[in-house]
Amino acid sequence: MEPLSSQAKLDWVIDALAMEVAEPSSGPLSRRLYLGLRERIQAGRLAPGSRLPSSRRLARELCLGRNTVLAALEQLVAEGFLETRPGAGTFVVDLPQLAGASSAPGAASEQALAPAGEAPETRDVTLSSRGTRLLGYSPCSDVRPGVLTPGLPALDRFPQALWQRLMRRHLHRAPTEWLGYQTQGGVPALREALCDYLRLSRSVRCRPEQILIVQGAQQGFELITRLLTDPGDRVWVEEPGYGGAKACFEAAGLELQAVPVDDEGLRVTADLPAPRLIQVTPSHQYPSGVTMTLGRRLALLETAEKHGAWIVEDDYDSEFRYGQGPIAALQGLDNDGRVLYVGTFSKVLYPGLRLGYVVLPEALVDACRRANARLHREGQYVVQSALAEFIAAGHFSRHVRRMRDCYRDRQARLRDALAPAVRAGLELSEGQAGMHLVAWLDDHATEAALVDRGLYHGIGLSPLSTYYLAPPGRPGLVLGYAGASEEEIDRAGGWLCREWLALRAERGASSMTKAATEPGARA
Amino acid sequence: MEPLSSQAKLDWVIDALAMEVAEPSSGPLSRRLYLGLRERIQAGRLAPGSRLPSSRRLARELCLGRNTVLAALEQLVAEGFLETRPGAGTFVVDLPQLAGASSAPGAASEQALAPAGEAPETRDVTLSSRGTRLLGYSPCSDVRPGVLTPGLPALDRFPQALWQRLMRRHLHRAPTEWLGYQTQGGVPALREALCDYLRLSRSVRCRPEQILIVQGAQQGFELITRLLTDPGDRVWVEEPGYGGAKACFEAAGLELQAVPVDDEGLRVTADLPAPRLIQVTPSHQYPSGVTMTLGRRLALLETAEKHGAWIVEDDYDSEFRYGQGPIAALQGLDNDGRVLYVGTFSKVLYPGLRLGYVVLPEALVDACRRANARLHREGQYVVQSALAEFIAAGHFSRHVRRMRDCYRDRQARLRDALAPAVRAGLELSEGQAGMHLVAWLDDHATEAALVDRGLYHGIGLSPLSTYYLAPPGRPGLVLGYAGASEEEIDRAGGWLCREWLALRAERGASSMTKAATEPGARA
């Protein structure tokens, strides 16, 4: 309860002025005084239990108005740093934690406690075990996508002006209640437009009520996983397969079982342990590009029924099929209500849109809608509404058709650029659909060398082996041609071709025959 | 391999015509033929292995162009329903699953297999155990919010015209790369504007790089939970507390430990089992409205350090404080990098915006950004950019100030409407901040009766007991006044007042004295 030393008072004056000069943006005077006092209390320089001078005296010594001082003191009282005792004055609160901090007063303790306005010290942290596994599927955030990075559509071909016109109109028209929380499962007009589209072009069997609009396919996976699985449950994933889905399953605490993919799609064998969930990309397997045969589809449905398992059908890019029309969805073959069909607008329109959908079995509609509204909240109703008009007015089909032609051309261009390597033995996937090709390589060293060297040239080669759950995985490159311009494809494809031929020459053609690849092959 | 019976052929013709008439929107003729054929194959009416008539003959009998027929057949071949054998013709594929379906041909089997274009049968399903618990926190989706439903800001007071102008401008300006996937943690301008705001008005200590923009606070909880906890880990939640956070923890497989809240905030005792995560709303406890004292805050930080636990500080509505300025955040007291500060724009602006943020300890920045980009994807960069200008240009502070006045008035109005009941013994929370009041009731029967009767009058009374983890919880009502107009408040408040007085009279004042409530009280 000792009075303040004149030294401390002097400190204040100096510091208050210093703050004033150093942080002209830090708000009104009372705010600066509040911060200065609080910092000193936290740092223990104003000892717990000590009495403050009267507000009148403080105002005089700090050259501040009395109301300014009172405002700062009141805030500190409200926050519990100070307390007023009737008839006795204003005191620094007497809390053991503050006393602990003040046991070594002065500069040393001020260093131990970070001053207000600056971030506390960095320290090493331990993530959870699932968090660590999850990060294994999460690319470093500072790597920018390069040319041929898979997953990107032709952003330069998106009809921006048309879309912005629609957005402006729907922004203007949006009812006030769309500002609030929504629980309808998405804008009805969008679900209706989508239902027509899915029935017609994807042979999905559904009513609009079965469609749940989500903020991207990933959110659909998340919802399904949490509602239908418990930690420790087993999920079958494609080997090789999509990292985003695997990250979601890890985050949900599931046990991942790799199921190999061959040229008929997912190859289910009797010795596989029973799953609770099965994740599959039957229309265009990611990343191998295989289309699952009808026989395998029917067998998979039978297997799911036998195990009482759910199937998540991820139909991410089947709009872009270059031969016949799109292959009918697995969902359309399901008579048992076991398939949850997940679609996205990230590939057909653009990823930044953050809209996708899940077609739910009737029996799951209510549960999924409720859990989604709780876990993720619904949103973007204006965007959904604009998208509904985009589809209903035919812009969507037109854009899909145009992109199909564009991607067919871009794939052909990439094949052309790689032709010399292909003639020399480089194997490419069939590419009857989608936005990427796979180039199978003979060894992991070649894969690593090409990926590394590509980075220096702004070329984003995605190593196939990282798509495998069980190391080492089959070596190769996933080449996304959809988002690259013709010139970029020529440049990157030409570079890759030359680089592959050079590596081949370096290592000797003998070690790179087809036979040599077989032991490493998994698909 | 028997040829088709003339009966079957006749069926086709009739059905094809029937489809044509019934579904004029079902697409081109070849599509209708494809669907008709496929439905019959799936239903077993075209036996596995049977040979189809030539395309020429089919075209003639169905009165269709030959190209139309060929297109349909090719699609069915591509999908594996038909196969061509060179020199022999086109056959229905011979798959055991199809044979199984066809073992009981005719109408019966067609009923068992849903026809294409319609949804499969509904069946009872078993959700996962966490899914079931999760639904316990998820309100029914068909209950529309009523007057006084908590959590809604004054949507009618949001400056829509100004916001739409900003949105239009930023839509127009958006760089093409914003259409793609983003991994920056949010638009830099927004993180900078937010950082200034948080430092100044919330005493949060951070750099812009520590801020991660997420699509609502809920997504922030999800991210934190999955990265920092494993299934089975324990999380401390406030009792009573926020359902959204509890749903997230259930979904992550955590064990929830209720920690009581009294009039100083969360009351941590030595006998509580060690947590991995602590969820807390220190500025304005949800729903009780208590502000956590400085002593409790410091003790909580100490406890977290002792257990090596993380603290999630949910600061959802502290902008609206009616006495002093907002109370400083717990994050600002943390010198150990244990507090993750979660904020949202749902209350300050509007819920449909779907934007929130997490202020991360330095050590978690990279991991959280990567995991977020993988699990949730970043998005809404145009909205983020518009919001950055909204903040930087001062519209945000102005709106907060205006809403603070508005909510203060609305709260006063609700108090006025309830005054007769208060005089007769109804207890209301202090209401020094925020968007809701709590009315404590004496028994669960009164709570249930008021909630039920309110529904009939479009009044959304939120039962306090449902905010408790351990039943039965303390009875009461959470009354959201922020989103209700003055007239609505008068009407709903007046109704509630009369109804409460009537119930009190009915049940006899003797059983409703304060003493009678104590055994049921938990907070």
Side-chain angles (χ1 to χ4, degrees):
Chain A
M1 308 269 178
E2 71 237 34
L4 283 169
S5 71
S6 51
Q7 179 58 43
K9 279 182 284 182
L10 189 63
D11 277 353
W12 283 0
V13 179
I14 293 165
D15 284 335
L17 287 173
M19 282 193 295
E20 212 171 327
V21 175
E23 293 207 58
S25 69
S26 67
L29 286 168
S30 71
R31 173 83 194 160
R32 297 182 212 171
L33 177 59
Y34 155 81
L35 283 175
L37 281 168
R38 192 184 134 186
E39 184 183 325
R40 276 149 197 82
I41 296 171
Q42 278 190 251
R45 288 187 59 193
L46 284 168
S50 62
R51 190 166 67 85
L52 256 64
S54 71
S55 57
R56 224 176 276 275
R57 201 175 129 198
L58 274 172
R60 200 176 54 238
E61 300 202 15
L62 295 166
C63 303
L64 295 170
R66 179 141 178 255
N67 284 339
T68 304
V69 172
L70 282 174
L73 296 183
E74 274 168 20
Q75 179 70 23
L76 288 164
V77 169
E79 293 188 0
F81 288 98
L82 297 179
E83 54 188 1
T84 51
R85 297 184 202 151
T90 304
F91 294 81
V92 174
V93 76
D94 198 0
L95 284 169
Q97 291 87 353
L98 293 174
S102 71
S103 62
S109 92
E110 244 175 315
Q111 278 182 346
L113 287 157
E118 284 186 24
E121 288 288 295
T122 296
R123 61 186 179 89
D124 282 340
V125 295
T126 316
L127 300 178
S128 63
S129 139
R130 78 167 138 200
T132 308
R133 289 196 304 276
L134 178 53
L135 278 193
Y137 297 100
S138 310
C140 293
S141 55
D142 52 353
V143 176
R144 308 291 307 160
V147 179
L148 301 185
T149 293
L152 275 180
L155 301 180
D156 54 323
R157 300 290 180 95
F158 182 72
Q160 279 257 50
L162 166 68
W163 177 247
Q164 288 184 6
R165 205 161 55 238
L166 284 176
M167 275 295 292
R168 282 195 297 271
R169 191 186 314 154
H170 286 262
L171 259 176
H172 186 69
R173 277 189 198 162
T176 304
E177 67 252 35
W178 283 2
L179 299 179
Y181 293 108
Q182 297 296 330
T183 57
Q184 305 172 52
V187 169
L190 177 58
R191 287 186 285 141
E192 278 155 30
L194 204 48
C195 186
D196 287 344
Y197 166 72
L198 290 172
R199 286 171 69 126
L200 199 60
S201 91
R202 309 291 305 111
S203 298
V204 166
R205 296 185 289 181
C206 67
R207 299 179 303 111
E209 294 73 26
Q210 286 173 265
I211 299 179
L212 178 69
I213 307 293
V214 287
Q215 291 168 67
Q218 198 66 28
Q219 193 173 85
F221 298 147
E222 297 265 310
L223 178 69
I224 292 165
T225 307
R226 266 90 66 76
L227 211 47
L228 299 179
T229 70
D230 279 312
D233 279 353
R234 190 174 295 107
V235 56
W236 285 358
V237 296
E238 296 171 322
E239 180 84 329
Y242 175 51
K246 285 185 269 194
C248 162
F249 301 141
E250 288 284 6
L254 302 191
E255 192 186 309
L256 278 65
Q257 170 70 50
V259 180
V261 170
D262 63 18
D263 55 10
E264 292 190 54
L266 198 71
R267 183 158 53 87
V268 172
T269 47
D271 59 326
L272 287 168
R276 172 88 182 149
L277 200 67
I278 302 169
Q279 195 270 343
V280 71
T281 51
S283 301
H284 186 228
Q285 203 273 330
Y286 192 76
S288 76
V290 168
T291 300
M292 189 185 266
T293 61
L294 182 62
R296 288 277 175 89
R297 287 175 192 233
L298 294 169
L300 184 64
L301 288 168
E302 217 173 47
T303 304
E305 191 177 347
K306 189 179 85 187
H307 292 304
W310 301 96
I311 296 175
V312 181
E313 176 176 21
D314 177 11
D315 206 9
Y316 62 102
D317 75 352
S318 60
E319 281 83 2
F320 307 119
R321 179 157 285 277
Y322 308 119
Q324 290 85 13
I327 294 293
L330 181 63
Q331 195 265 9
L333 297 172
D334 170 30
N335 293 309
D336 200 36
R338 300 208 164 272
V339 175
L340 295 94
Y341 177 92
V342 179
T344 176
F345 292 103
S346 292
K347 311 299 178 198
V348 200
L349 299 181
Y350 63 94
L353 190 64
R354 302 313 318 128
L355 280 180
Y357 48 90
V358 186
V359 181
L360 297 161
E362 289 278 1
L364 290 180
V365 169
D366 181 64
C368 283
R369 202 187 282 184
R370 283 168 59 193
N372 187 56
R374 174 90 280 185
L375 274 188
H376 304 135
R377 304 283 197 188
E378 297 187 11
Q380 303 214 65
Y381 268 45
V382 173
V383 185
Q384 291 188 31
S385 171
L387 182 52
E389 183 178 341
F390 190 81
I391 297 175
H395 302 304
F396 185 79
S397 323
R398 204 148 40 236
H399 182 60
V400 167
R401 275 199 306 275
R402 273 210 310 260
M403 289 307 100
R404 194 183 292 139
D405 292 346
C406 167
Y407 297 164
R408 189 201 332 252
D409 292 350
R410 289 184 173 183
Q411 188 194 111
R413 196 131 181 166
L414 180 58
R415 284 188 185 280
D416 283 352
L418 293 173
V422 170
R423 279 194 298 274
L426 179 69
E427 247 192 298
L428 288 182
S429 58
E430 286 198 352
Q432 293 174 337
M435 300 160 61
H436 68 270
L437 287 174
V438 174
W440 282 288
L441 299 174
D442 298 322
D443 58 272
H444 290 88
T446 304
E447 182 188 84
L450 289 171
V451 169
D452 278 355
R453 294 181 196 181
L455 279 181
Y456 284 101
H457 295 81
I459 299 170
L461 302 173
S462 191
L464 180 64
S465 62
T466 60
Y467 292 74
Y468 286 79
L469 196 61
R474 186 172 173 188
L477 299 171
V478 184
L479 309 170
Y481 49 77
S485 71
E486 283 65 20
E487 297 66 38
E488 286 174 327
I489 291 175
D490 291 347
R491 181 177 71 83
W495 176 86
L496 178 57
C497 184
R498 287 190 303 278
E499 206 69 16
W500 184 85
L501 287 168
L503 273 173
R504 187 168 173 279
E506 251 173 54
R507 299 192 181 183
S510 65
S511 72
M512 294 180 80
T513 59
K514 246 197 114 181
T517 80
E518 290 314 309
R522 310 203 140 235
Chain B
M1 308 264 178
E2 70 238 33
L4 283 169
S5 71
S6 51
Q7 181 59 41
K9 279 181 285 182
L10 189 61
D11 276 354
W12 283 0
V13 179
I14 292 165
D15 284 337
L17 286 172
M19 280 193 295
E20 212 170 327
V21 175
E23 291 207 59
S25 70
S26 68
L29 287 168
S30 70
R31 174 82 194 160
R32 297 182 212 171
L33 177 58
Y34 155 81
L35 281 175
L37 281 168
R38 193 184 134 186
E39 184 181 327
R40 275 149 197 81
I41 295 171
Q42 278 190 252
R45 288 187 60 193
L46 284 168
S50 63
R51 188 165 67 85
L52 256 64
S54 72
S55 57
R56 223 176 277 276
R57 200 174 130 199
L58 274 173
R60 199 174 56 237
E61 300 204 13
L62 295 166
C63 303
L64 294 170
R66 179 139 178 260
N67 283 340
T68 304
V69 172
L70 282 175
L73 296 184
E74 273 169 21
Q75 180 70 22
L76 288 164
V77 168
E79 294 187 1
F81 288 98
L82 297 179
E83 54 189 0
T84 51
R85 297 183 200 149
T90 304
F91 294 80
V92 174
V93 75
D94 199 359
L95 284 171
Q97 291 87 352
L98 293 173
S102 71
S103 62
S109 93
E110 243 175 316
Q111 277 182 345
L113 286 159
E118 284 186 24
E121 288 289 297
T122 295
R123 62 185 179 88
D124 282 338
V125 294
T126 316
L127 301 179
S128 63
S129 141
R130 78 167 138 200
T132 307
R133 288 196 305 275
L134 178 52
L135 278 192
Y137 296 100
S138 310
C140 294
S141 56
D142 52 353
V143 175
R144 307 291 307 160
V147 179
L148 301 186
T149 294
L152 275 180
L155 301 180
D156 54 322
R157 301 290 179 96
F158 182 71
Q160 279 257 50
L162 166 69
W163 177 247
Q164 288 184 9
R165 205 161 57 237
L166 284 177
M167 276 295 292
R168 281 195 298 272
R169 191 186 316 155
H170 286 262
L171 260 176
H172 186 69
R173 279 189 199 162
T176 304
E177 68 251 36
W178 283 2
L179 299 178
Y181 293 108
Q182 297 297 330
T183 56
Q184 306 172 51
V187 169
L190 177 58
R191 287 186 286 141
E192 278 155 30
L194 204 47
C195 186
D196 286 344
Y197 166 71
L198 291 172
R199 286 171 68 127
L200 199 60
S201 91
R202 309 290 306 112
S203 298
V204 166
R205 295 184 290 180
C206 67
R207 297 178 305 112
E209 294 72 25
Q210 284 173 266
I211 299 179
L212 178 69
I213 307 294
V214 288
Q215 291 168 67
Q218 199 65 28
Q219 195 174 84
F221 297 147
E222 298 265 312
L223 177 69
I224 291 165
T225 307
R226 266 90 66 75
L227 210 48
L228 299 179
T229 70
D230 279 313
D233 278 353
R234 188 174 297 109
V235 57
W236 285 358
V237 297
E238 296 171 320
E239 180 85 330
Y242 175 51
K246 286 186 266 194
C248 162
F249 301 141
E250 288 285 6
L254 302 191
E255 192 186 308
L256 278 66
Q257 169 71 49
V259 179
V261 169
D262 63 17
D263 55 10
E264 292 190 54
L266 197 72
R267 184 158 53 87
V268 172
T269 48
D271 59 325
L272 287 168
R276 172 87 181 149
L277 200 67
I278 302 169
Q279 196 269 344
V280 71
T281 51
S283 301
H284 187 228
Q285 203 274 329
Y286 193 78
S288 77
V290 168
T291 300
M292 190 186 267
T293 61
L294 182 62
R296 287 277 174 87
R297 287 175 192 231
L298 294 170
L300 185 63
L301 288 168
E302 217 174 48
T303 304
E305 191 178 347
K306 188 179 85 188
H307 293 304
W310 300 97
I311 297 175
V312 181
E313 176 175 20
D314 176 12
D315 205 10
Y316 61 103
D317 76 350
S318 62
E319 282 84 2
F320 307 120
R321 179 157 283 277
Y322 307 121
Q324 290 85 14
I327 294 293
L330 183 61
Q331 195 266 9
L333 297 172
D334 170 29
N335 294 309
D336 199 36
R338 301 209 162 269
V339 175
L340 296 94
Y341 177 92
V342 178
T344 176
F345 292 103
S346 293
K347 312 299 178 197
V348 200
L349 300 180
Y350 62 92
L353 189 65
R354 305 311 318 127
L355 280 180
Y357 48 91
V358 186
V359 181
L360 297 160
E362 290 279 1
L364 290 179
V365 168
D366 181 64
C368 283
R369 202 187 281 184
R370 282 168 60 193
N372 187 56
R374 173 91 280 185
L375 275 187
H376 304 135
R377 305 281 197 191
E378 296 187 10
Q380 304 213 67
Y381 268 43
V382 173
V383 185
Q384 290 187 31
S385 171
L387 181 53
E389 183 176 343
F390 191 80
I391 297 174
H395 303 303
F396 184 79
S397 323
R398 205 151 34 238
H399 183 61
V400 167
R401 275 198 307 275
R402 274 211 308 262
M403 289 306 101
R404 193 182 293 140
D405 292 345
C406 167
Y407 297 164
R408 189 203 331 254
D409 292 350
R410 288 185 173 181
Q411 188 195 112
R413 195 132 181 166
L414 180 58
R415 283 187 186 281
D416 283 351
L418 292 173
V422 170
R423 278 193 299 274
L426 179 70
E427 246 192 299
L428 289 183
S429 58
E430 287 198 351
Q432 292 174 335
M435 300 160 61
H436 68 269
L437 286 174
V438 174
W440 282 287
L441 299 174
D442 299 321
D443 57 273
H444 290 90
T446 304
E447 182 190 82
L450 289 172
V451 170
D452 279 356
R453 294 181 195 179
L455 279 181
Y456 284 101
H457 294 80
I459 299 170
L461 302 173
S462 191
L464 180 63
S465 63
T466 60
Y467 292 73
Y468 285 79
L469 195 61
R474 187 173 173 186
L477 299 171
V478 183
L479 309 170
Y481 50 77
S485 71
E486 282 65 22
E487 297 67 37
E488 286 174 327
I489 289 174
D490 290 347
R491 183 178 69 83
W495 175 87
L496 177 59
C497 184
R498 288 190 302 279
E499 206 69 16
W500 183 85
L501 288 168
L503 274 173
R504 186 169 175 277
E506 250 174 54
R507 300 192 181 183
S510 66
S511 71
M512 295 178 81
T513 58
K514 250 200 111 180
T517 78
E518 290 313 308
R522 309 203 144 234

